[in-house]
Amino acid sequence: MAEAPTPAGAGQRADENAITTDRVLTIPNLLSFGRLLGVPVFLWLILWPEFGGPKYDVWALVILMVSGFTDWLDGKLARRWNQISRVGQILDPAADRLYILSTLVGLTVRDILPLWVTGLLVARELFIAALFPYLRAHGYGLLPVNFIGKAATFNLMYSFPCLLLSDGTGRVATLAAIFGWAFAWWGIALYWWAGVLYAVQARRLVSAVKQTEAGYA
């Protein structure tokens, strides 16, 4: 009897599962959970009182920078200490998306970010969300975040503090706007590129499953 074809990416998933744990209380997970707790604090700082102020913006910038650093750190520690967990695979991208969405809300309300830029990023999130029922119907859950998706998140997380810092006058605000928009454009492009690759990967996995089922029919 011929062996069933292996779905694309199954080898990578098997390697990941070899070091995946069901543990919840790990250092990487605690870092991700801490990032989640910072989301409402960040929103409060940039939207209150009277849509932020210099003192509040400084603390919001600190939270964003700490979030970006811990986003890098939790992944590095999880791989180094073999603490890649199923909980972490949910918490980490959830924290990324919540920070991006909360920052979009805050910067859009403050008129720092144009509505059409917010629309581009929200549309990408809706595009990815639409793939979940398709994957679940064929026995797959969330797919691992790819390198391009991580690079997109890093660019966006660098751009947001710069754009927040650009909400003012003077040389610092001008430089912050230049760097902020440079990071933003790279982030938006990579974000959509990662989304398209995610859809391609989902289609390949489902096609492999259908071929396997057809072979045993």
Side-chain angles (χ1 to χ4, degrees):
M1 181 181 296
E3 292 186 2
T6 302
Q12 178 185 358
R13 194 167 59 250
D15 291 340
E16 289 176 350
N17 287 339
I19 59 173
T20 295
T21 176
D22 288 321
R23 291 174 58 193
V24 175
L25 293 178
T26 66
I27 298 299
N29 286 352
L30 291 175
L31 289 173
S32 295
F33 185 67
R35 288 167 56 218
L36 282 172
L37 292 178
V39 172
V41 179
F42 169 78
L43 266 178
W44 180 83
L45 287 169
I46 62 174
L47 295 179
W48 184 273
E50 297 180 357
F51 300 140
K55 180 175 68 175
Y56 298 93
D57 285 352
V58 168
W59 284 109
L61 284 170
V62 170
I63 290 177
L64 273 182
M65 289 188 290
V66 171
S67 172
F69 174 72
T70 55
D71 184 29
W72 167 82
L73 184 61
D74 63 15
K76 186 176 182 63
L77 293 180
R79 291 186 295 271
R80 175 170 293 184
W81 294 345
N82 288 344
Q83 291 185 351
I84 298 176
S85 67
R86 291 176 176 83
V87 172
Q89 289 173 340
I90 297 173
L91 281 179
D92 186 49
D96 288 344
R97 284 179 168 82
L98 282 176
Y99 262 104
I100 290 173
L101 290 175
S102 64
T103 309
L104 287 176
V105 169
L107 296 186
T108 304
V109 170
R110 293 271 298 271
D111 290 327
I112 298 173
L113 206 61
L115 189 59
W116 61 269
V117 172
T118 304
L120 276 176
L121 293 172
V122 171
R124 189 271 191 185
E125 289 299 321
L126 294 175
F127 173 70
I128 293 295
L131 295 173
F132 292 162
Y134 175 68
L135 285 166
R136 192 178 299 276
H138 293 88
Y140 285 94
L142 298 174
L143 300 181
V145 178
N146 56 42
F147 174 78
I148 294 176
K150 273 294 183 184
T153 300
F154 280 133
N155 274 275
L156 291 174
M157 294 303 287
Y158 276 117
S159 75
F160 293 149
C162 290
L163 292 175
L164 184 57
L165 193 60
S166 72
D167 188 27
T169 57
R171 183 174 299 177
V172 173
T174 301
L175 287 174
I178 293 171
F179 283 101
W181 280 110
F183 280 121
W185 281 118
W186 273 107
I188 292 169
L190 291 173
Y191 213 49
W192 270 101
W193 187 8
V196 171
L197 291 179
Y198 195 97
V200 170
Q201 183 184 8
R203 183 176 179 278
R204 287 176 177 172
L205 287 172
V206 172
S207 295
V209 169
K210 289 181 178 179
Q211 290 174 7
T212 301
E213 293 173 347
Y216 283 97

